[in-house]
Amino acid sequence: MNNIVSPQFDAQGRLRHLLTLDGVPAAEIEALLAAAEPLIATPGVAADYPAALAGRTVATLFFEPSTRTRCSFELAAKRLGADVVHLGAAGSSAAKGESLADTLYTLEAMNVDLLIVRHKESGVCEKLAALAGPQTAIVNAGEGRTDHPTQGLLDALTIARRKPDFAKLGIAIVGDIAHSRVARSAVTAFTALGATDLRLVGPTAWLPEEPPFAAAKHFTRLGEGIAGADVVMALRIQKERMNSAELPDSSSYFENYGLTEARLAAAAPDALVMHPGPMNRGVEIDDEVADGWRAVIREQVRNGVAVRMAVMMRLLENRADREEVLV
Ligand code: CP
């Protein structure tokens, strides 16, 4: 790992920030998933988490709406003993024109250790990482259409716990892949873990060919794309990243690509159904599937808290090993 040149690795090749899964070695992804596994909560059971972030401060800076990712980071940080502050575009001094760089410097002056950032523009987290002091780690919580690394990790963990051999899996991703940071990070993680049978299913305009999708097969018919698939992941139609001409008609979209029990008969009998959320029921997926026995959608959410704990612990462990920040 020592030869990796990337803004998210330190001089020793360890994760310094988490900006993207692109270029993260399989061993690092596997280590994060292994670290997350014992942190997965059992419903109804009071958990005994390590106080690994006691005395640390985590700031969540969300400039786009979020339920899962924001709550998940906040719960993950609090369960590990951190102090947590939240800033959004509307309630912060960003609304008065303060730059992101000045927001970073302001939070650093308050001794923030981890800055969790969601933004509509790709590249924002990398810019913040370049400006951050040695004590601060930046975590991308979803930016633009390019990266949502902790979502990719939680999706990989959810599959790995049920079907651990990625090399043997047919994984179909259905819907608006073109605008999806979830799909990019998920495919990057699945490929690193050995997946080769990756299928993109949707209208032609939503089936990208560039990396990380270069090796994926394209299907415009749902039945063909999910035939025999072990995992079927539906995506949200990301209207906020489309112009009005690109917006599909919801009912014809559901007719062609909505997941129903009848259509899932084409997939493997024990196929997992995933969705990163938020779901548009009756458009991307019907109620019977979303709440049915194949769906692991709430497992994805549960595993997400553990993955975010593991990521934050990892970044702070790596920081503790860098002498320059200990002065
Ligand atoms: N999956 C996901 O990123 O959901 P939120 O937008 O609710 O965080």
Side-chain angles (χ1 to χ4, degrees), residues 30 156-169 193-194 272:
E30 285 162 357
L157 179 61
T158 304
I159 295 173
R161 298 188 84 219
R162 299 255 193 166
K163 295 174 183 263
D165 191 349
F166 279 80
K168 291 190 177 147
L169 300 181
L193 296 172
L272 307 178

Side-chain angles (χ1 to χ4, degrees), residues 246-263:
E246 292 174 288
L247 289 174
D249 171 67
S250 294
S251 57
S252 66
Y253 180 83
F254 181 70
E255 197 125 312
N256 288 311
Y257 299 107
L259 297 188
T260 63
E261 276 297 334
R263 290 177 193 145

Side-chain angles (χ1 to χ4, degrees), residues 261-295:
E261 276 297 334
R263 290 177 193 145
L264 284 165
D270 64 345
L272 307 178
V273 172
M274 305 177 74
H275 193 302
M279 290 183 278
N280 292 303
R281 290 171 181 253
V283 179
E284 298 133 15
I285 189 166
D286 76 359
D287 290 336
E288 195 184 3
V289 175
D291 302 321
W293 62 276
R294 299 169 190 272

Side-chain angles (χ1 to χ4, degrees), residues 62 64-72 118 141-142 148 150-151 154-155 181-182 236 240-241 275-278 300-301 308:
F62 276 59
E64 274 193 333
S66 168
T67 295
R68 276 146 290 273
T69 313
R70 184 188 148 186
C71 292
S72 173
R118 170 167 289 196
H148 195 346
T150 55
Q151 180 74 41
L154 76 87
D155 289 338
R181 56 196 177 207
V182 171
R236 182 174 68 84
E240 71 276 20
R241 289 186 238 291
H275 193 302
Q300 289 173 263
V301 176
R308 286 159 183 141

